[in-house]
């Protein structure tokens, strides 16, 4: 029962506040008018009491429009000599922002209150005191209403900006996961397809079993990485299966088995890089070899990964490839843009930068620099060209 009541109050909070405000105006104005009429001129009760009730009822629509409550409160002040409706109308128009020129309107209402207070039959006839009351009971509520409106707008802007930040964070996370999926699935499927093609052209049972075992291992590895990826959503976390520098020799050996001619130079002391930075280096080599398989099959490839001062330089450089007839293959510049863009984001996350482009010999080079101690990624230049 308590939860239902709380839910009702939460859903109808504005309406309840409006009813209470109208009730307060009636509760103060009607008894005062009955006990001590203070109108500017003689007004019968059958006219003054309804004016107070109407002024109170117009507050029920104060959030949509202010003019009914403003006009009714002025009439109520003239017929009853009471300024409570004026104060409520002044506060409401500013708090709901229903009147653009609220300062001038509040000043006009304050003048009406001043006249009602000064011209009351039993009044003190002190203009200074009436002016002070007008400012305190009419203009000040309008200022408070404007402050409330500004506060609500500030809270709204903060919520919207928070929502935008959450959306941007979610978008970055989706891109990160998409990049992980791209790197994992593309590499695994490429190797499995190449091995399957070699199996079809091979008649040696021992070699076939070896290649089939390699296909199985790559499939199991890819499934394990995908399962871990789905459970790791924070950018700073790395799955247990995330490969580092120690996995690059196996990556090179795997490429040589599938028809590439790869030479590796790996000279990075253990523990020099954080795990996330090592994984970025691994992905650079992996993406470079995948691109060579797709765009320059049969090419000679040089893979270098070495420490130089406070950075680790990683490069995958290939010469021109050859097609199945032995002729130089022609690269299509638009076929691998997504992988390099995702790789750029990955390297930038660890404070490094990456470049790619053709070599004078007609091949292609993918080069990255990864700092040993990740600095602010924004302070590093980065460039990448679509392949």
């Amino acid at each position: 029962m308590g939860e239902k009541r709380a839910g009702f109050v939460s859903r109808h909070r504005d309406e309840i506040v409006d009813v209470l405000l109208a009730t307060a105006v009636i509760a103060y104005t009607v008894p005062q008018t009955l006990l001590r009429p203070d109108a500017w001129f003689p007004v019968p009760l059958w006219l003054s009491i309804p004016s107070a009730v109407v002024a109170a009822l117009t507050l029920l629509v104060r959030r949509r429009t202010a003019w009914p409550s403003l006009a009714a409160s002025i009439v109520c002040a003239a017929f009853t000599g009471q300024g409570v409706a004026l104060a409520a109308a002044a506060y409401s128009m500013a708090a709901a922002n229903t009147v653009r020129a609220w300062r001038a309107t509040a000043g006009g209402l304050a003048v009406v209150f001043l006249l009602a207070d000064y011209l009351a039959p039993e009044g003190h006839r002190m203009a200074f005191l009436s002016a002070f009351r007008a400012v305190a009971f009419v203009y000040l509520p309008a200022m408070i209403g404007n402050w409330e409106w500004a506060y609500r707008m500030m809270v709204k802007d903060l919520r919207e900006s928070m929502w935008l930040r959450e959306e941007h964070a979610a978008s970055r996370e989706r891109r990160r996961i998409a990049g992980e999926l791209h790197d994992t699935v593309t590499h695994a499927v490429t190797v499995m397809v190449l091995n399957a093609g070699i199996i079809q052209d091979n008649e040696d049972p021992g070699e076939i079993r070896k290649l089939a075992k390699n296909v199985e291992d790559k499939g199991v590895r890819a499934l394990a990485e995908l399962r871990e990826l789905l459970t790791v959503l924070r950018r700073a976390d790395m799955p247990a299966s995330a490969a580092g520098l120690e996995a690059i020799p196996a990556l090179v050996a795997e490429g040589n088995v599938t028809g590439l001619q790869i030479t590796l130079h790996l000279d990075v002391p253990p523990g020099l890089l954080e795990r996330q930075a090592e994984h970025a280096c691994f992905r650079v080599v992996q993406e470079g070899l995948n691109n060579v398989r797709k765009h320059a099959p049969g090419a000679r490839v040089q893979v270098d990964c070495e420490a130089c001062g406070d950075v680790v330089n990683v490069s995958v450089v290939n010469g021109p490839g050859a097609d199945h007839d032995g002729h130089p293959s022609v690269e299509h510049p638009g076929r691998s843009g997504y992988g390099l863009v995702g790789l750029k984001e990955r390297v930038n996350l660890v404070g490094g930068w990456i470049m790619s482009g053709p070599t004078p010999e007609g091949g292609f080079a993918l080069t990255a620099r990864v700092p040993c101690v990740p600095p602010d990624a924004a302070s590093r230049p980065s460039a990448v060209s679509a392949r």
Side-chain angles (χ1 to χ4, degrees):
M1 186 64 180
E3 293 181 357
K4 292 183 178 180
R5 187 183 300 110
F8 176 83
V9 172
S10 177
R11 289 191 301 272
H12 302 281
R13 177 180 176 274
D14 291 343
E15 292 83 353
I16 293 174
V17 170
D18 293 343
V19 170
L20 292 177
L21 183 59
T23 303
V25 171
I26 293 176
Y28 181 86
T29 305
V30 172
Q32 288 290 332
T33 303
L34 292 174
L35 296 176
R36 192 182 62 179
D38 288 332
W40 303 350
F41 49 87
V43 178
L45 290 178
W46 62 266
L47 190 58
S48 60
I49 297 300
S51 70
V53 175
V54 170
L57 294 178
T58 56
L59 293 173
L60 299 179
V61 296
R62 67 191 183 97
R63 300 179 190 274
R64 295 189 294 272
T65 176
W67 298 112
S69 62
L70 294 176
S73 64
I74 293 174
V75 173
C76 177
F79 286 3
T80 65
Q82 305 298 325
V84 175
L86 288 171
Y91 165 80
S92 298
M93 70 165 182
N97 196 34
T98 50
V99 176
R100 181 174 301 178
W102 69 270
R103 293 180 178 85
T105 305
L109 294 178
V111 171
V112 174
F113 184 96
L114 185 152
L115 294 175
D117 186 72
Y118 183 78
L119 298 177
E122 300 180 4
H124 42 73
R125 301 289 179 173
M126 296 177 60
F128 173 78
L129 184 57
S130 295
F132 177 81
R133 289 181 176 180
V135 172
F137 294 127
V138 177
Y139 199 85
L140 183 59
M143 292 180 61
I144 294 174
N146 181 254
W147 293 338
E148 180 185 345
W149 168 260
Y151 174 77
R152 288 202 303 267
M153 290 301 100
M154 180 186 68
V155 172
K156 181 181 178 182
D157 291 342
L158 289 175
R159 288 177 177 174
E160 290 179 352
S161 62
M162 183 180 298
W163 179 81
L164 289 175
R165 286 196 298 270
E166 291 175 353
E167 283 294 309
H168 292 327
S171 177
R172 288 195 301 269
E173 187 63 21
R174 285 193 294 268
R175 290 198 303 270
R176 188 187 73 85
I177 294 176
E180 290 284 356
L181 289 173
H182 171 273
D183 295 341
T184 299
V185 174
T186 299
H187 173 72
V189 172
T190 300
V191 173
M192 293 166 68
V193 169
L194 291 174
N195 283 330
I198 296 174
I199 289 175
Q200 294 179 5
D201 299 331
N202 201 315
E203 297 181 356
D204 183 1
E207 187 68 20
I208 291 176
R209 284 194 297 270
K210 180 180 178 181
L211 293 171
K213 183 63 167 61
N214 192 26
V215 171
E216 180 185 12
D217 292 342
K218 291 305 296 182
V220 172
R221 170 77 176 182
L223 289 175
E225 290 185 2
L226 290 175
R227 281 194 297 267
E228 291 182 348
L229 178 62
L230 295 177
T231 60
V232 179
L233 299 179
R234 290 181 298 173
R235 190 179 71 182
D237 291 343
M238 294 297 298
S241 63
L245 296 176
E246 75 285 349
I248 292 180
L251 197 63
V252 170
E254 184 180 87
N256 287 327
V257 171
T258 56
L260 298 179
Q261 304 175 56
I262 309 173
T263 303
L264 172 65
H265 173 66
L266 177 61
D267 184 14
V268 180
L272 183 63
L273 295 176
E274 295 181 353
R275 190 62 180 176
Q276 189 173 6
E278 286 197 13
H279 187 59
C281 295
F282 172 83
R283 290 301 192 188
V284 170
V285 176
Q286 185 183 66
E287 179 66 20
L289 295 182
N290 282 338
N291 285 342
V292 173
R293 289 189 185 98
K294 288 187 289 185
H295 306 307
R300 293 183 178 275
V301 186
Q302 177 66 42
V303 176
D304 292 307
C305 186
E306 60 180 348
C308 183
D310 59 349
V311 299
V312 172
N313 297 318
V314 184
S315 64
V316 180
V317 182
N318 64 273
D323 58 19
H324 296 292
D325 298 327
H327 300 98
S329 63
V330 179
E331 297 184 8
H332 193 291
R335 286 194 291 180
S336 185
Y338 179 81
L340 290 179
V341 171
L343 192 62
K344 171 179 177 277
E345 294 180 356
R346 183 190 301 279
V347 174
N348 284 345
L349 286 178
V350 296
W353 60 272
I354 186 169
M355 296 182 64
S356 62
T359 63
E361 294 78 14
F364 199 86
L366 178 65
T367 305
R369 298 186 66 184
V370 178
C372 300
V373 179
D376 183 8
S379 64
R380 294 279 182 170
S382 60
V384 65
S385 61
R387 177 162 185 166

